[in-house]
Amino acid sequence: MQADGLKALGNKAFSAGDFPTAIRHFTDAIALDPKNHVLYSNRSAAYASQRDYIKALEDAEKTVELNPTWAKAYSRRGAALYGLARYPEAVEAYDEGLRLEPENAQIKKGLEDAKAALDEGPGPDMMSKLFSGDVFAKIAGNPKLAPYLAQPDFLQKVREIQQNPNNLTKHMQDPRILTLAMSLMGLDATAMGRDEMEATYDMQSEPAPAPSSSSSRPAPSAKAPEPEPMHVEEEVDDEEKEQRNKRKLSDERKDAGNKLYKSRKFEDAIKAYDEAWEADDSNVAVLTNKSAVLFEMGKYEECIKACEDAVEKGREHRADFKLIAKAFARIGGCYTKLDDLASAIKFYSKSLAEHREPSVLAKLREAEKLKEQRDKEGYRDLGLSDAARERGNELFRAARFADAVKEYSEAIRRNDSDARAYSNRAACYLKLMAVHEAERDCDEAIRLDPDFAKAYVRKAAVLAARREWSKVFEVCETAKQKDVDGKNRAEIDAQLAKAYAGLNEAQSGGNREEVLKRAMADPEVQKIMADPIMNQILQQMKEDPKAAQDHMRNPAVAANIRKLMDAGIIQVR
């Protein structure tokens, strides 16, 4: 990445209050462009914002060295010196900045604050008084400062300051000394210790006002002055200034267009948006706003063109991805209005790829559902469905069951309300041992035609394949009722015979111990037998066979009892 790109990342992090990240980006940029004074200036601001005034001063001095005619460089120097409480030097720095740029309001404010702090702040005499007396007893009595007494270098620095208060400036970069000074000045050292010194502060806040001479509070209790608010700069050349002026004019016309749009004065709004685009053809939001007006006017083709231009320009100028997503979504809306659902789905999907917006997702799902319904209706043909079903019947008789499934599926696609196709496909699935699919088709056939006896016969065959003999009896009984003309009687009797044989085998096949062992290998049987309520019911049925009739009225209990009968746990005599 180039230095300018890293500088932009640093500025963004600074604006978000992430000063460590900003410093990292500015440092990387300096490595690529070490002669760029703006980079040092911006890093100085970042250091000052996290109250690392020593490093802030180093970068400020480097900024002055690289561009001694830039007023902001001296503002940076003044801010760092102000933070270090070196007020006389801060005043000098600000004076030099005003010499270069006399009308700079920020430098004027910094100078005013520095002079106020110089007049009212604690000077050498005050420091002498603060560090006089038994300072070490005060340190020992402060939980935040007491641990420092075990550090010889700290004790040495305190003694040097007692001997010469001017040494405070030399040692102020030591957070321990700064914490001690604030405590001695009457500030809460427990609340303003190292953590507070290392914390960031609000870049938008105003610098603390200098203590008023009329204040009744003593100087040691006054709030410690804070440096001027930090801002990072960009060098703006004439071309950039011109572009900013264009964007300002463009935004003004765009805002005018927005108001006209809300007033439903669409033609006037279009004119305002055209003027905004003419002023700045990189302002992509103008095109998306214009497309909204065209959409409301029903000019869908023009709306699509405006959105396509917005996407193209947006890609070119790296516009916000949400703007690109909005343009794609509006194209999708236009195609929906034009009844081109395939294109609508395409552009809704493109919009979601840029930005996942719930309302666009809902429109996509609606378009997909409508297209599916239309495709289904467009494919419907009763004659072709019957022909496919007949081909399936021939393949079934030839024992080509997989091919028969394909023909029956085609018949269903052509006419999904014909129960016969589902029933026939179920027979194929059963031959292929796809029991679950077979049962699903039987259930659908019965749903479509509740009086279709053949579907019940096929359902009984599925249940027999699962060895659910009790259910086979129930389904066969229903099949008998539906088979009013007796055409399926032989198949029904065959399923009943198979069920009786299967149930008899489960009840008496082999010795009782083997039957129970085989049954208990079934997880479903294990679950039923572990149920205390079912155990109680089984005990009641054993003691009073008539109780079974009462319990069978409960569908859940009846299903469990049938399962145990099929498994051979419950014997029927």
Side-chain angles (χ1 to χ4, degrees):
M1 182 178 290
Q2 298 298 317
D4 287 344
L6 291 167
K7 180 176 69 172
L9 291 175
N11 292 350
K12 183 177 181 181
F14 185 96
S15 298
D18 186 358
F19 304 122
T21 300
I23 290 169
R24 176 164 52 82
H25 288 311
F26 291 140
T27 301
D28 291 343
I30 288 170
L32 296 174
D33 188 4
K35 299 298 183 181
N36 190 330
H37 63 280
V38 174
L39 297 176
Y40 288 99
S41 173
N42 288 3
R43 191 171 69 173
S44 175
Y47 278 132
S49 293
Q50 61 180 22
R51 302 193 178 191
D52 189 345
Y53 300 117
I54 297 297
K55 290 184 178 179
L57 181 58
E58 290 175 0
D59 276 354
E61 297 291 4
K62 185 65 176 179
T63 306
V64 172
E65 175 188 333
L66 291 172
N67 191 351
T69 62
W70 191 37
K72 192 64 182 181
Y74 298 94
S75 176
R76 288 281 183 254
R77 176 191 279 174
L81 291 168
Y82 186 95
L84 291 171
R86 292 162 60 176
Y87 304 126
E89 296 171 79
V91 169
E92 291 178 6
Y94 284 128
D95 279 337
E96 184 62 24
L98 286 177
R99 186 183 65 78
L100 295 170
E101 196 173 323
E103 300 305 320
N104 189 308
Q106 186 177 6
I107 299 178
K108 285 182 178 180
K109 185 66 169 61
L111 177 61
E112 179 184 341
D113 292 338
K115 286 183 175 180
L118 181 62
D119 293 339
E120 300 294 336
D125 291 341
M126 177 61 71
M127 290 298 103
S128 177
K129 294 179 182 178
L130 287 176
F131 279 82
S132 63
D134 195 353
V135 175
F136 295 104
K138 297 178 182 178
I139 296 173
N142 189 317
K144 186 72 175 182
L145 302 174
Y148 298 156
L149 291 175
Q151 301 173 16
D153 64 321
F154 172 76
L155 300 178
Q156 178 62 31
K157 290 177 180 180
V158 173
R159 293 191 184 100
E160 289 180 6
I161 295 170
Q162 285 182 313
Q163 294 170 2
N164 182 1
N166 290 326
N167 286 329
L168 176 62
T169 301
K170 181 176 71 173
H171 296 310
M172 189 62 78
Q173 68 268 30
D174 187 332
R176 300 169 300 175
I177 298 299
L178 184 57
T179 301
L180 172 60
M182 288 192 295
S183 177
L184 295 175
M185 290 170 65
L187 300 175
D188 184 1
T190 62
M192 299 187 68
R194 185 182 184 88
D195 293 340
E196 169 64 18
M197 287 188 291
E198 294 178 351
T200 60
Y201 73 102
D202 185 356
M203 61 179 277
Q204 299 299 329
S205 62
E206 293 294 328
S212 171
S213 59
S214 62
S215 172
S216 61
R217 298 178 62 189
S221 299
K223 182 179 178 180
E226 295 200 12
E228 61 177 298
M230 293 291 108
H231 304 280
V232 292
E233 296 83 31
E234 293 280 356
E235 285 190 302
V236 181
D237 55 23
D238 292 340
E239 183 179 349
E240 180 65 19
K241 288 179 180 179
E242 182 181 358
Q243 180 58 39
R244 290 184 181 182
N245 290 334
K246 287 181 177 180
R247 176 54 63 91
K248 181 180 179 182
L249 176 59
S250 178
D251 284 340
E252 288 175 356
R253 297 310 302 148
K254 182 187 70 174
D255 292 341
N258 294 346
K259 292 179 181 178
L260 291 166
Y261 169 70
K262 292 176 182 178
S263 302
R264 302 192 68 78
K265 297 178 180 179
F266 297 142
E267 294 293 347
D268 292 337
I270 291 290
K271 182 179 178 181
Y273 289 136
D274 286 341
E275 291 171 353
W277 184 248
E278 184 178 353
D280 181 6
D281 62 2
S282 68
N283 195 351
V284 180
V286 172
L287 293 178
T288 56
N289 289 11
K290 177 182 176 180
S291 71
V293 180
L294 293 169
F295 187 88
E296 288 290 332
M297 297 172 72
K299 297 182 178 181
Y300 303 121
E301 297 292 349
E302 293 182 41
C303 179
I304 291 172
K305 179 62 171 61
C307 289
E308 289 174 342
D309 290 343
V311 171
E312 181 181 356
K313 284 292 185 178
R315 300 286 195 210
E316 180 183 340
H317 295 285
R318 299 182 181 180
D320 188 343
F321 59 88
K322 291 183 180 179
L323 276 177
I324 306 296
K326 183 183 291 185
F328 279 135
R330 189 151 290 141
I331 293 175
C334 288
Y335 279 120
T336 299
K337 291 291 186 180
L338 294 171
D339 207 26
D340 184 351
L341 294 177
S343 296
I345 291 170
K346 173 184 175 181
F347 283 97
Y348 284 142
S349 298
K350 283 189 173 185
S351 175
L352 291 169
E354 296 290 335
H355 175 61
R356 198 164 183 82
E357 171 63 38
S359 62
V360 176
L361 180 60
K363 291 176 182 177
L364 172 63
R365 295 288 179 260
E366 184 180 349
E368 289 175 334
K369 183 178 179 181
L370 183 57
K371 185 176 184 299
E372 182 181 357
Q373 291 174 349
R374 290 186 179 179
D375 290 346
K376 190 174 182 180
E377 289 299 322
Y379 200 70
R380 181 180 293 275
D381 189 307
L382 302 185
L384 293 177
S385 176
D386 290 341
R389 181 167 51 79
E390 287 300 327
R391 291 195 299 271
N393 293 344
E394 292 176 6
L395 291 167
F396 183 87
R397 287 191 287 269
R400 294 171 58 184
F401 305 120
D403 292 333
V405 166
K406 294 179 182 178
E407 293 297 338
Y408 290 136
S409 298
E410 174 64 12
I412 290 170
R413 284 193 292 271
R414 292 291 185 180
N415 180 14
D416 62 354
S417 60
D418 187 350
R420 295 172 298 175
Y422 285 101
S423 176
N424 291 2
R425 191 171 68 174
C428 289
Y429 279 137
L430 195 56
K431 291 290 185 179
L432 296 168
M433 298 305 295
V435 180
H436 175 73
E437 289 79 1
E439 183 177 26
R440 183 182 60 198
D441 275 359
C442 288
D443 290 339
E444 182 63 15
I446 291 170
R447 186 189 70 81
L448 291 170
D449 186 356
D451 295 324
F452 187 28
K454 178 67 77 172
Y456 291 96
V457 174
R458 299 265 163 78
K459 178 68 178 284
V462 170
L463 295 170
R466 289 182 169 176
R467 305 181 67 81
E468 297 181 9
W469 310 117
S470 300
K471 291 183 180 180
V472 173
F473 293 135
E474 294 179 7
V475 173
C476 284
E477 185 61 33
T478 304
K480 286 181 181 180
Q481 297 173 9
K482 304 296 182 181
D483 188 29
V484 293
D485 54 8
K487 290 182 179 180
N488 300 286
R489 184 71 186 187
E491 289 186 75
I492 295 172
D493 289 342
Q495 292 299 331
L496 284 172
K498 186 185 292 187
Y500 280 121
L503 185 59
N504 182 61
E505 181 183 357
Q507 296 283 332
S508 58
N511 61 55
R512 183 65 179 163
E513 183 177 347
E514 290 179 355
V515 171
L516 293 177
K517 183 178 180 181
R518 185 170 60 250
M520 290 304 294
D522 186 337
E524 191 173 350
V525 172
Q526 293 176 15
K527 183 179 179 181
I528 295 172
M529 296 303 294
D531 187 345
I533 296 178
M534 279 303 302
N535 275 284
Q536 184 179 359
I537 290 173
L538 294 174
Q539 185 63 33
Q540 291 176 358
M541 291 172 60
K542 182 178 179 180
E543 296 173 356
D544 181 9
K546 294 182 180 180
Q549 297 179 358
D550 295 331
H551 290 305
M552 291 297 284
R553 294 191 182 96
N554 184 321
V557 173
N560 288 340
I561 291 175
R562 282 195 297 269
K563 180 65 180 179
L564 296 179
M565 290 172 62
D566 295 339
I569 299 292
I570 298 177
Q571 292 183 312
V572 180
R573 294 184 173 86

